[in-house]
Amino acid sequence: NNEGVVAKADNGDTFTVDTGKFTGRSPKDKFVVKNAGSESEANIDWNDVNQPTTPQVFKDLYEKAVAHFNTRETAYIFDGYAGANPASRKKVRFVHEMAWQQHFVSNMFIRPESPEELDGFEPDFTIINCCSQVEEEWERHGLNSDTAVVFNIEEKKAVIFGTWYGGENKKGVFSLMNYWLPMSDPPQFPMHCSANVGKEGDVALFFGLSGTGKTTLSADPHRALIGDDEHGWDEDGVYNFEGGCYAKTINLQESTEPDIYHAIKTDALLENVKIQDDATPDFFDVSKTENGRVSYPIFHIPNYHEKQMAGHPENIIFLSCDAFGVLPPVAKLSSGQAMYHFLSGYTAKVAGTERGITEPVATFSTCFGAAFMTLHPTRYADLLQHKLDKYGSHAYLVNSGWSGGPYGEGDRMSIKTTRSCIDAILNGSIQEAEFQKDPIFGFDVPVALDGVDPAVLDIRGTWADGAKYDAQAKKLADMYVDNFQQYEGKGSIDYTQFGPTI
């Protein structure tokens, strides 16, 4: 169809596409129909993420989508599943005009194991993707642009106009899972995390925003990967929502991300990656975008967990990259503290100025995925609290950021330090450690861990000036408290009490 070109990747020919002006999701163009008196109207957290629109707007767009496909000689239909556990999965149907988008969803969702599974297939939700068409009447419809991604939960349908970006398909279904699962009976917990499982069946979850090491740290040669991004936690345990991975390719090289690098071969799909004159991909050329991506079926990862589901997690790890130099490399959290840090979803990014002076910028993304949370965040926190109490999972904060001072003054913690902290959690040795309580944040910090310099565990002691550390710690604690005001008095428990003491 002349939709892209074939790249000569080191591990095999790989189809590659350019998604045009949209190289990422378009969150300001995502809407949910507010059906008066419906279950979704009563439960959705209506805000800038979940923007309301009317049933009439959806009706107009849906009719336009159907009319467009009626003019085409070819359409691509994918029927599959979101969720590896047959007891909890949802049936999804995609209707595409582009073959490469069919390829994308075939990689990212769970495919039926046999043609017989499709006999009488009745989808729980259908997404019609009219990426080549735009919404000319967006102003009359009260939308934000001629791009529209609109979900109607009661109608069990969605339409996409004006964006070719593959991730709209993936994250659209994730947002739906974040609605459906907590509403099920019994309620289930949807999670924006990676997960792996040890040889003894022990499951670990890794929550973290971009740049915290979620993908890297969950890829462990001694453990099998359940999934790298989206999971559910039901009465049977943890299961992957997806059948594939959607990894960033910026600066990708074999030495640093061998699993992803080797997954780029036939059946993978590259998006917005520079292709050189000799047809090889250049992952260091980000002139198009820094959000170049590759989607591939999870079986391209050699150490993947074939069942894509396992038991209840023994360990839950919240990853942060603290550029303020305040948080210790690892801390043990009580269940209440785990809820506080889950709702906070903290990391820090480094921002530059024209003078070349750099300072950390705090980022809080609730539930480590604010853009995809359909219900109020405390609904998810209450679910996590229930799971921790019921199954006795341990929760930890792991920081791969700076010690000895903030970014620009201190040093980045080594990957060896971070790996050693993760290893101590997964092998259980951290539970035998002696701990000291942090006077501001209240969590317990180990005094010594195998493979970790004890001096780094005493994060205040890494600073040359303890008073400067204290001022910086108060500054970060203030940011936590200010951010958390939005959750005061909400949820089954007021989790404010588990935050820092200023």
Side-chain angles (χ1 to χ4, degrees):
N1 294 352
N2 296 315
E3 295 177 13
V5 299
V6 176
K8 300 291 185 183
D10 283 353
N11 294 279
D13 290 353
T14 306
F15 197 72
T16 181
V17 295
D18 185 316
T19 64
K21 67 178 182 178
F22 287 102
T23 58
R25 290 178 301 101
S26 187
K28 292 183 179 179
D29 295 309
K30 175 188 165 190
F31 291 84
V32 182
V33 176
K34 198 170 190 177
N35 291 306
S38 66
E39 182 182 70
S40 65
E41 182 194 35
N43 285 280
I44 286 177
D45 185 24
W46 300 103
N47 53 29
D48 290 343
V49 171
N50 305 303
Q51 302 175 98
T53 189
T54 67
Q56 185 61 50
V57 169
F58 182 80
K59 181 174 183 290
D60 291 350
L61 290 173
Y62 181 77
E63 289 176 353
K64 178 178 178 177
V66 171
H68 171 65
F69 273 97
N70 283 339
T71 67
R72 293 181 55 85
E73 293 184 1
T74 304
Y76 301 93
I77 298 175
F78 171 82
D79 286 344
Y81 307 104
N85 188 348
S88 301
R89 66 176 32 158
K90 294 291 183 180
K91 298 176 181 178
V92 292
R93 171 171 291 166
F94 288 92
V95 182
H96 286 120
E97 51 184 321
M98 309 299 292
W100 78 258
Q101 293 213 342
Q102 179 81 348
H103 182 174
F104 176 87
V105 295
S106 296
N107 278 348
M108 294 310 304
F109 292 91
I110 296 171
R111 305 179 226 190
E113 294 182 0
S114 68
E116 289 73 30
E117 279 188 57
L118 297 177
D119 292 342
F121 187 92
E122 290 291 335
D124 296 304
F125 207 87
T126 299
I127 295 178
I128 302 178
N129 193 323
C130 293
C131 59
S132 72
Q133 304 299 296
V134 294
E135 199 330 37
E136 297 100 337
E137 298 184 282
W138 63 272
E139 289 177 296
R140 182 176 73 84
H141 282 147
L143 306 181
N144 292 326
S145 78
D146 62 6
T147 296
V149 181
V150 185
F151 294 82
N152 191 326
I153 289 176
E154 274 69 37
E155 291 283 335
K156 300 181 180 179
K157 297 182 181 73
V159 291
I160 298 175
F161 284 87
T163 172
W164 303 65
Y165 181 63
E168 293 287 6
N169 299 285
K170 163 185 159 68
K171 287 304 185 185
V173 172
F174 183 48
S175 296
L176 289 167
M177 296 295 276
N178 282 321
Y179 175 81
W180 287 323
L181 266 60
M183 303 285 289
S184 61
D185 185 19
Q188 299 174 27
F189 181 37
M191 304 174 292
H192 192 213
C193 69
S194 59
N196 64 25
V197 58
K199 292 180 174 61
E200 302 301 317
D202 56 300
V203 174
L205 305 179
F206 299 79
F207 291 84
L209 302 177
S210 179
T212 60
K214 180 179 68 169
T215 299
T216 301
L217 293 170
S218 60
D220 188 321
H222 306 295
R223 301 172 64 83
L225 181 70
I226 300 173
D228 78 331
D229 195 39
E230 303 171 5
H231 294 82
W233 186 353
D234 62 10
E235 302 307 296
D236 297 323
V238 170
Y239 61 95
N240 194 357
F241 285 168
E242 303 181 293
C245 302
Y246 194 38
K248 288 186 177 182
T249 57
I250 182 173
N251 298 335
L252 178 65
Q253 50 190 327
E254 185 177 18
S255 60
T256 54
E257 296 281 4
D259 284 348
I260 297 173
Y261 190 86
H262 290 294
I264 300 175
K265 56 186 178 181
T266 302
D267 289 338
L269 176 68
L270 288 167
E271 282 184 31
N272 302 316
V273 172
K274 175 68 175 179
I275 305 302
Q276 302 180 98
D277 292 341
D278 63 358
T280 60
D282 183 353
F283 301 119
F284 290 85
D285 185 332
V286 293
S287 55
K288 169 72 177 181
T289 178
E290 293 187 357
N291 195 39
R293 295 271 181 168
V294 60
S295 68
Y296 50 87
I298 196 167
F299 55 76
H300 279 200
I301 299 293
N303 198 33
Y304 84 103
H305 187 59
E306 188 172 353
K307 291 183 179 179
Q308 295 293 277
M309 51 188 291
H312 300 287
E314 185 165 325
N315 295 296
I316 298 172
I317 298 166
F318 300 132
L319 299 167
S320 178
C321 179
D322 175 32
F324 290 92
V326 169
L327 298 180
V330 62
K332 184 171 69 172
L333 305 175
S334 69
S335 62
Q337 290 167 345
M339 298 313 104
Y340 187 92
H341 286 275
F342 175 69
L343 282 170
S344 296
Y346 165 74
T347 192
K349 297 179 181 179
V350 175
T353 68
E354 291 181 4
R355 288 174 170 264
I357 300 172
T358 57
E359 62 179 22
V361 176
T363 299
F364 294 95
S365 182
T366 190
C367 309
F368 296 92
F372 318 113
M373 299 301 120
T374 326
L375 309 179
H376 192 275
T378 55
R379 295 277 292 273
Y380 305 105
D382 288 347
L383 279 170
L384 178 55
Q385 177 82 63
H386 172 74
K387 294 289 189 184
L388 288 179
D389 292 344
K390 184 173 182 178
Y391 298 108
S393 307
H394 306 287
Y396 299 90
L397 179 68
V398 172
N399 170 39
S400 60
W402 275 257
S403 65
Y407 175 87
E409 297 178 23
D411 297 314
R412 182 79 186 263
M413 293 183 194
S414 69
I415 186 65
K416 178 181 179 298
T417 293
T418 304
R419 276 285 186 197
S420 294
C421 292
I422 298 291
D423 289 345
I425 293 169
L426 299 181
N427 65 29
S429 61
I430 195 171
Q431 297 182 44
E432 308 302 320
E434 177 187 349
F435 291 90
Q436 289 185 343
K437 189 170 294 294
D438 185 278
I440 293 179
F441 290 90
F443 41 52
D444 293 325
V445 181
V447 175
L449 284 179
D450 188 35
V452 180
D453 182 354
V456 179
L457 291 168
D458 176 17
I459 195 70
R460 184 179 187 274
T462 64
W463 285 54
D465 187 334
K468 284 187 176 181
Y469 171 85
D470 294 340
Q472 187 84 326
K474 183 181 183 305
K475 178 181 176 181
L476 180 59
D478 283 339
M479 293 179 190
Y480 267 96
V481 171
D482 289 347
N483 172 73
F484 211 83
Q485 287 178 0
Q486 61 189 305
Y487 307 121
E488 288 182 5
K490 297 180 179 178
S492 62
I493 299 172
D494 187 351
Y495 297 109
T496 308
Q497 61 186 301
F498 301 109
T501 302
I502 303 173

